[in-house]
Amino acid sequence: MVLTNFPHSQATPFDLSAYLIERKQQVETALEQAIAVVYPERIYESMRYSLMAGGKRLRPILCLATAELVGGTIEMAMPTACALEMVHTMSLIHDDLPAMDNDDFRRGKPTNHKAYGEDIAILAGDALLAYAFEFIATQTQQVPADRLLRVIAHLGKAAGAAGLVGGQVVDLESEGKSEVGVETLNFIHLHKTAALLESSVVSGAMLAGAQQSDIERLSRYAQHIGLAFQIVDDVLDITSTQEELGKSIGKDMQAQKVTYPSIWGIDESKRQAQKLVEDAKQELQVFGDRRRPLAALADYITARTH
Amino acid sequence: MVLTNFPHSQATPFDLSAYLIERKQQVETALEQAIAVVYPERIYESMRYSLMAGGKRLRPILCLATAELVGGTIEMAMPTACALEMVHTMSLIHDDLPAMDNDDFRRGKPTNHKAYGEDIAILAGDALLAYAFEFIATQTQQVPADRLLRVIAHLGKAAGAAGLVGGQVVDLESEGKSEVGVETLNFIHLHKTAALLESSVVSGAMLAGAQQSDIERLSRYAQHIGLAFQIVDDVLDITSTQEELGKSIGKDMQAQKVTYPSIWGIDESKRQAQKLVEDAKQELQVFGDRRRPLAALADYITARTH
């Protein structure tokens, strides 16, 4: 249980653990209802197989939390929250394909193409991506149409060549190259990881009608935690391998992949991640007590150990 | 040059050939400007490679023509017209992949994965699909936001499991099966081909603010020509092979693929296609002289010989 105190607040400590459990349950329920299995069943089963495979549901939760921060409701943000998870799931399915990272397992289960075949896996990703936009456009209640268009535009950018796809392309191009610098590493993770986290936060803000200056603050918050998230991931790849397997080098280093720790070392990487989290939380100051879920989520990112 | 006379109209014959050349040029210009090549260049080049590879631009032209039919302008429909071509191009890139139809050439050029590799081809398709929705949301001028949301929802459905993807899944499942009936064949082509043609027509109508009864008429028109298009394709696969290669069987029959001619025979297939085109044109009667481009396009579909 992670408890976060705010020294200048009179409120009771914020119970992030309970918050995450509750929100995750709400998201799971909405996702469960989002896709019905009809003819041809195999494609809908394949979409659901990966969409309902668990995970932290961090993107939907960030979207809901930001909508509430700005004064909106969970209800107005839930369809977009589900769409964000559909886009995230699409990127996992396609990244796991033999032509990409060629992974056979994800979250302890066979990857989509291992369970359904490559052809269905490609199509399930396509279908989830297309459905994400349809879902926002048809399922969102009580949000003006012009706000929804901004959300759709932002999500489209985050999912495409200027976001997820662009990050994956540079990641693929960087494989096996030792001269990759921190700028390239930042590009990869700002696009491959941070772009969709940022879209989660910004879309929540847009749905609730946030003013532009707040949207920009929240965008910076999300980009900071997105990079911090990746740095912590890189560090954990080394340290958790050391502890769990008794080996001195991790998966990334074996794959000769340039990572933050391989450039900065472990201690400096941890310091950089911590600084990014502090910068992220600084952006939230103006929101008063309402900032607590997003602030606690930022702490959670560097505090996690697996 | 295809000239179509309308017996009850005082207007001069409609010059479809000149019309198609002009519209195609306008669409090519808009597509050319739609995607800039920036870092990482390879993904944008790959997207452009397939998007600018030619073709009849039938979907964009149907969208523009329907917008004008209903009293709208080319300008208000052009971003959606481009988005339709992006979705169509995505489906071609992914269908050509080794895990799907495994085609090395399209329109006389290497397929996207042959030119850029499978990983980039998968990502280029994803990026085009995401960009299609972003493009409609950000580039459309002078159309109310609620109409754009309807267009986005319709396109999402046409591109996903309830449209293109669903049709491709049933097509893949039917390969090598001899007991495929006309209902399954209709399902495949109503989804794989007709859904996006229908979305082209219906989105043009929606953008221009058509009333619901007209949208339904135009939807039926598009589904009829979509099926007719496929029947003619199947017939041409046999007859053009006979003429051009001196062989008595075509590609589909060699691949043991069930087609309309394999169920109905060539003459009955031609009759069915002709009837669908007549039914399609019947739906246009209420629009008076404005129906001429769409009516001529319907005739063009059965008149084509390659």
Side-chain angles (χ1 to χ4, degrees), chain A residues 17-37:
Chain A
S17 181
Y19 179 87
L20 291 177
I21 288 168
E22 189 194 354
R23 286 291 175 276
K24 184 177 164 171
Q25 187 51 54
Q26 291 170 308
V27 170
E28 298 281 343
T29 302
L31 287 173
E32 179 63 42
Q33 296 167 350
I35 299 177
V37 177

PDB file of all heavy atoms in Angstrom, chain A residues 17-37:
ATOM      1  N   SER A  17      -3.167   2.772  -3.601  1.00  0.00           N
ATOM      2  CA  SER A  17      -3.413   1.361  -3.848  1.00  0.00           C
ATOM      3  C   SER A  17      -4.910   1.083  -4.018  1.00  0.00           C
ATOM      4  O   SER A  17      -5.337   0.441  -4.985  1.00  0.00           O
ATOM      5  CB  SER A  17      -2.833   0.539  -2.709  1.00  0.00           C
ATOM      6  OG  SER A  17      -3.029  -0.819  -2.945  1.00  0.00           O
ATOM      7  N   ALA A  18      -5.708   1.613  -3.081  1.00  0.00           N
ATOM      8  CA  ALA A  18      -7.162   1.423  -3.165  1.00  0.00           C
ATOM      9  C   ALA A  18      -7.718   2.117  -4.402  1.00  0.00           C
ATOM     10  O   ALA A  18      -8.626   1.600  -5.079  1.00  0.00           O
ATOM     11  CB  ALA A  18      -7.825   1.968  -1.904  1.00  0.00           C
ATOM     12  N   TYR A  19      -7.168   3.308  -4.697  1.00  0.00           N
ATOM     13  CA  TYR A  19      -7.600   4.073  -5.874  1.00  0.00           C
ATOM     14  C   TYR A  19      -7.366   3.279  -7.161  1.00  0.00           C
ATOM     15  O   TYR A  19      -8.253   3.172  -8.009  1.00  0.00           O
ATOM     16  CB  TYR A  19      -6.814   5.394  -5.907  1.00  0.00           C
ATOM     17  CG  TYR A  19      -7.120   6.288  -7.085  1.00  0.00           C
ATOM     18  CD1 TYR A  19      -8.173   7.202  -7.028  1.00  0.00           C
ATOM     19  CD2 TYR A  19      -6.347   6.249  -8.241  1.00  0.00           C
ATOM     20  CE1 TYR A  19      -8.441   8.044  -8.103  1.00  0.00           C
ATOM     21  CE2 TYR A  19      -6.603   7.079  -9.315  1.00  0.00           C
ATOM     22  CZ  TYR A  19      -7.651   7.967  -9.242  1.00  0.00           C
ATOM     23  OH  TYR A  19      -7.917   8.799 -10.296  1.00  0.00           O
ATOM     24  N   LEU A  20      -6.178   2.698  -7.275  1.00  0.00           N
ATOM     25  CA  LEU A  20      -5.850   1.947  -8.499  1.00  0.00           C
ATOM     26  C   LEU A  20      -6.725   0.708  -8.651  1.00  0.00           C
ATOM     27  O   LEU A  20      -7.160   0.381  -9.755  1.00  0.00           O
ATOM     28  CB  LEU A  20      -4.367   1.540  -8.491  1.00  0.00           C
ATOM     29  CG  LEU A  20      -3.346   2.680  -8.643  1.00  0.00           C
ATOM     30  CD1 LEU A  20      -1.926   2.125  -8.545  1.00  0.00           C
ATOM     31  CD2 LEU A  20      -3.536   3.418  -9.962  1.00  0.00           C
ATOM     32  N   ILE A  21      -6.995   0.043  -7.547  1.00  0.00           N
ATOM     33  CA  ILE A  21      -7.834  -1.163  -7.591  1.00  0.00           C
ATOM     34  C   ILE A  21      -9.246  -0.807  -8.065  1.00  0.00           C
ATOM     35  O   ILE A  21      -9.815  -1.474  -8.933  1.00  0.00           O
ATOM     36  CB  ILE A  21      -7.871  -1.856  -6.209  1.00  0.00           C
ATOM     37  CG1 ILE A  21      -6.521  -2.519  -5.922  1.00  0.00           C
ATOM     38  CG2 ILE A  21      -9.003  -2.895  -6.152  1.00  0.00           C
ATOM     39  CD1 ILE A  21      -6.339  -2.977  -4.481  1.00  0.00           C
ATOM     40  N   GLU A  22      -9.779   0.271  -7.510  1.00  0.00           N
ATOM     41  CA  GLU A  22     -11.140   0.678  -7.877  1.00  0.00           C
ATOM     42  C   GLU A  22     -11.226   1.101  -9.341  1.00  0.00           C
ATOM     43  O   GLU A  22     -12.123   0.670 -10.075  1.00  0.00           O
ATOM     44  CB  GLU A  22     -11.600   1.838  -6.971  1.00  0.00           C
ATOM     45  CG  GLU A  22     -13.079   2.153  -7.157  1.00  0.00           C
ATOM     46  CD  GLU A  22     -13.480   3.487  -6.533  1.00  0.00           C
ATOM     47  OE1 GLU A  22     -12.638   4.104  -5.857  1.00  0.00           O
ATOM     48  OE2 GLU A  22     -14.626   3.910  -6.763  1.00  0.00           O
ATOM     49  N   ARG A  23     -10.280   1.949  -9.749  1.00  0.00           N
ATOM     50  CA  ARG A  23     -10.309   2.426 -11.134  1.00  0.00           C
ATOM     51  C   ARG A  23     -10.085   1.289 -12.132  1.00  0.00           C
ATOM     52  O   ARG A  23     -10.743   1.220 -13.166  1.00  0.00           O
ATOM     53  CB  ARG A  23      -9.234   3.495 -11.337  1.00  0.00           C
ATOM     54  CG  ARG A  23      -9.532   4.838 -10.735  1.00  0.00           C
ATOM     55  CD  ARG A  23     -10.660   5.526 -11.462  1.00  0.00           C
ATOM     56  NE  ARG A  23     -11.001   6.762 -10.779  1.00  0.00           N
ATOM     57  CZ  ARG A  23     -11.821   6.833  -9.737  1.00  0.00           C
ATOM     58  NH1 ARG A  23     -12.424   5.742  -9.280  1.00  0.00           N
ATOM     59  NH2 ARG A  23     -12.069   7.988  -9.162  1.00  0.00           N
ATOM     60  N   LYS A  24      -9.151   0.413 -11.806  1.00  0.00           N
ATOM     61  CA  LYS A  24      -8.867  -0.704 -12.703  1.00  0.00           C
ATOM     62  C   LYS A  24     -10.112  -1.562 -12.889  1.00  0.00           C
ATOM     63  O   LYS A  24     -10.425  -1.981 -14.002  1.00  0.00           O
ATOM     64  CB  LYS A  24      -7.705  -1.546 -12.151  1.00  0.00           C
ATOM     65  CG  LYS A  24      -7.307  -2.673 -13.086  1.00  0.00           C
ATOM     66  CD  LYS A  24      -6.108  -3.470 -12.597  1.00  0.00           C
ATOM     67  CE  LYS A  24      -6.046  -4.778 -13.377  1.00  0.00           C
ATOM     68  NZ  LYS A  24      -4.834  -5.537 -13.148  1.00  0.00           N
ATOM     69  N   GLN A  25     -10.853  -1.782 -11.808  1.00  0.00           N
ATOM     70  CA  GLN A  25     -12.066  -2.574 -11.889  1.00  0.00           C
ATOM     71  C   GLN A  25     -13.097  -1.911 -12.793  1.00  0.00           C
ATOM     72  O   GLN A  25     -13.748  -2.563 -13.614  1.00  0.00           O
ATOM     73  CB  GLN A  25     -12.643  -2.794 -10.484  1.00  0.00           C
ATOM     74  CG  GLN A  25     -13.825  -3.751 -10.466  1.00  0.00           C
ATOM     75  CD  GLN A  25     -13.532  -5.062 -11.190  1.00  0.00           C
ATOM     76  OE1 GLN A  25     -12.553  -5.734 -10.892  1.00  0.00           O
ATOM     77  NE2 GLN A  25     -14.344  -5.408 -12.187  1.00  0.00           N
ATOM     78  N   GLN A  26     -13.214  -0.583 -12.665  1.00  0.00           N
ATOM     79  CA  GLN A  26     -14.165   0.148 -13.523  1.00  0.00           C
ATOM     80  C   GLN A  26     -13.771   0.044 -14.991  1.00  0.00           C
ATOM     81  O   GLN A  26     -14.616  -0.112 -15.874  1.00  0.00           O
ATOM     82  CB  GLN A  26     -14.225   1.620 -13.080  1.00  0.00           C
ATOM     83  CG  GLN A  26     -14.888   1.820 -11.721  1.00  0.00           C
ATOM     84  CD  GLN A  26     -14.704   3.246 -11.209  1.00  0.00           C
ATOM     85  OE1 GLN A  26     -13.588   3.763 -11.152  1.00  0.00           O
ATOM     86  NE2 GLN A  26     -15.801   3.886 -10.823  1.00  0.00           N
ATOM     87  N   VAL A  27     -12.460   0.155 -15.252  1.00  0.00           N
ATOM     88  CA  VAL A  27     -11.975   0.070 -16.630  1.00  0.00           C
ATOM     89  C   VAL A  27     -12.200  -1.337 -17.191  1.00  0.00           C
ATOM     90  O   VAL A  27     -12.666  -1.491 -18.324  1.00  0.00           O
ATOM     91  CB  VAL A  27     -10.477   0.457 -16.693  1.00  0.00           C
ATOM     92  CG1 VAL A  27      -9.888   0.142 -18.063  1.00  0.00           C
ATOM     93  CG2 VAL A  27     -10.294   1.936 -16.354  1.00  0.00           C
ATOM     94  N   GLU A  28     -11.900  -2.356 -16.385  1.00  0.00           N
ATOM     95  CA  GLU A  28     -12.091  -3.736 -16.844  1.00  0.00           C
ATOM     96  C   GLU A  28     -13.550  -3.986 -17.221  1.00  0.00           C
ATOM     97  O   GLU A  28     -13.846  -4.644 -18.217  1.00  0.00           O
ATOM     98  CB  GLU A  28     -11.686  -4.742 -15.744  1.00  0.00           C
ATOM     99  CG  GLU A  28     -10.231  -4.697 -15.321  1.00  0.00           C
ATOM    100  CD  GLU A  28      -9.294  -5.411 -16.287  1.00  0.00           C
ATOM    101  OE1 GLU A  28      -9.781  -6.195 -17.105  1.00  0.00           O
ATOM    102  OE2 GLU A  28      -8.080  -5.150 -16.217  1.00  0.00           O
ATOM    103  N   THR A  29     -14.446  -3.469 -16.392  1.00  0.00           N
ATOM    104  CA  THR A  29     -15.880  -3.653 -16.662  1.00  0.00           C
ATOM    105  C   THR A  29     -16.268  -2.994 -17.987  1.00  0.00           C
ATOM    106  O   THR A  29     -16.989  -3.583 -18.805  1.00  0.00           O
ATOM    107  CB  THR A  29     -16.714  -3.060 -15.514  1.00  0.00           C
ATOM    108  OG1 THR A  29     -16.331  -3.712 -14.294  1.00  0.00           O
ATOM    109  CG2 THR A  29     -18.208  -3.253 -15.745  1.00  0.00           C
ATOM    110  N   ALA A  30     -15.778  -1.779 -18.216  1.00  0.00           N
ATOM    111  CA  ALA A  30     -16.103  -1.068 -19.459  1.00  0.00           C
ATOM    112  C   ALA A  30     -15.492  -1.769 -20.669  1.00  0.00           C
ATOM    113  O   ALA A  30     -16.138  -1.897 -21.718  1.00  0.00           O
ATOM    114  CB  ALA A  30     -15.613   0.376 -19.377  1.00  0.00           C
ATOM    115  N   LEU A  31     -14.251  -2.236 -20.533  1.00  0.00           N
ATOM    116  CA  LEU A  31     -13.603  -2.945 -21.649  1.00  0.00           C
ATOM    117  C   LEU A  31     -14.338  -4.246 -21.955  1.00  0.00           C
ATOM    118  O   LEU A  31     -14.531  -4.611 -23.118  1.00  0.00           O
ATOM    119  CB  LEU A  31     -12.138  -3.249 -21.311  1.00  0.00           C
ATOM    120  CG  LEU A  31     -11.166  -2.066 -21.313  1.00  0.00           C
ATOM    121  CD1 LEU A  31      -9.794  -2.508 -20.794  1.00  0.00           C
ATOM    122  CD2 LEU A  31     -11.022  -1.465 -22.712  1.00  0.00           C
ATOM    123  N   GLU A  32     -14.736  -4.939 -20.897  1.00  0.00           N
ATOM    124  CA  GLU A  32     -15.461  -6.208 -21.034  1.00  0.00           C
ATOM    125  C   GLU A  32     -16.711  -6.017 -21.896  1.00  0.00           C
ATOM    126  O   GLU A  32     -17.065  -6.874 -22.710  1.00  0.00           O
ATOM    127  CB  GLU A  32     -15.828  -6.724 -19.635  1.00  0.00           C
ATOM    128  CG  GLU A  32     -16.594  -8.019 -19.591  1.00  0.00           C
ATOM    129  CD  GLU A  32     -15.821  -9.192 -20.152  1.00  0.00           C
ATOM    130  OE1 GLU A  32     -14.626  -9.297 -19.866  1.00  0.00           O
ATOM    131  OE2 GLU A  32     -16.428  -9.986 -20.906  1.00  0.00           O
ATOM    132  N   GLN A  33     -17.362  -4.878 -21.722  1.00  0.00           N
ATOM    133  CA  GLN A  33     -18.608  -4.614 -22.460  1.00  0.00           C
ATOM    134  C   GLN A  33     -18.383  -3.987 -23.836  1.00  0.00           C
ATOM    135  O   GLN A  33     -19.322  -3.831 -24.614  1.00  0.00           O
ATOM    136  CB  GLN A  33     -19.501  -3.680 -21.620  1.00  0.00           C
ATOM    137  CG  GLN A  33     -19.950  -4.327 -20.311  1.00  0.00           C
ATOM    138  CD  GLN A  33     -20.556  -3.334 -19.343  1.00  0.00           C
ATOM    139  OE1 GLN A  33     -20.489  -2.118 -19.554  1.00  0.00           O
ATOM    140  NE2 GLN A  33     -21.154  -3.837 -18.262  1.00  0.00           N
ATOM    141  N   ALA A  34     -17.133  -3.608 -24.116  1.00  0.00           N
ATOM    142  CA  ALA A  34     -16.872  -2.818 -25.329  1.00  0.00           C
ATOM    143  C   ALA A  34     -16.924  -3.643 -26.607  1.00  0.00           C
ATOM    144  O   ALA A  34     -17.259  -3.120 -27.675  1.00  0.00           O
ATOM    145  CB  ALA A  34     -15.522  -2.115 -25.209  1.00  0.00           C
ATOM    146  N   ILE A  35     -16.538  -4.918 -26.512  1.00  0.00           N
ATOM    147  CA  ILE A  35     -16.462  -5.740 -27.730  1.00  0.00           C
ATOM    148  C   ILE A  35     -17.294  -7.017 -27.576  1.00  0.00           C
ATOM    149  O   ILE A  35     -16.977  -7.873 -26.751  1.00  0.00           O
ATOM    150  CB  ILE A  35     -15.002  -6.122 -28.051  1.00  0.00           C
ATOM    151  CG1 ILE A  35     -14.170  -4.847 -28.289  1.00  0.00           C
ATOM    152  CG2 ILE A  35     -14.931  -7.033 -29.280  1.00  0.00           C
ATOM    153  CD1 ILE A  35     -12.696  -5.115 -28.551  1.00  0.00           C
ATOM    154  N   ALA A  36     -18.336  -7.129 -28.372  1.00  0.00           N
ATOM    155  CA  ALA A  36     -19.152  -8.339 -28.392  1.00  0.00           C
ATOM    156  C   ALA A  36     -18.574  -9.302 -29.424  1.00  0.00           C
ATOM    157  O   ALA A  36     -18.003  -8.878 -30.425  1.00  0.00           O
ATOM    158  CB  ALA A  36     -20.596  -7.996 -28.743  1.00  0.00           C
ATOM    159  N   VAL A  37     -18.730 -10.590 -29.173  1.00  0.00           N
ATOM    160  CA  VAL A  37     -18.235 -11.599 -30.110  1.00  0.00           C
ATOM    161  C   VAL A  37     -19.366 -11.987 -31.060  1.00  0.00           C
ATOM    162  O   VAL A  37     -20.345 -12.604 -30.656  1.00  0.00           O
ATOM    163  CB  VAL A  37     -17.709 -12.852 -29.376  1.00  0.00           C
ATOM    164  CG1 VAL A  37     -17.279 -13.921 -30.365  1.00  0.00           C
ATOM    165  CG2 VAL A  37     -16.539 -12.471 -28.469  1.00  0.00           C
TER     166      VAL A  37
END
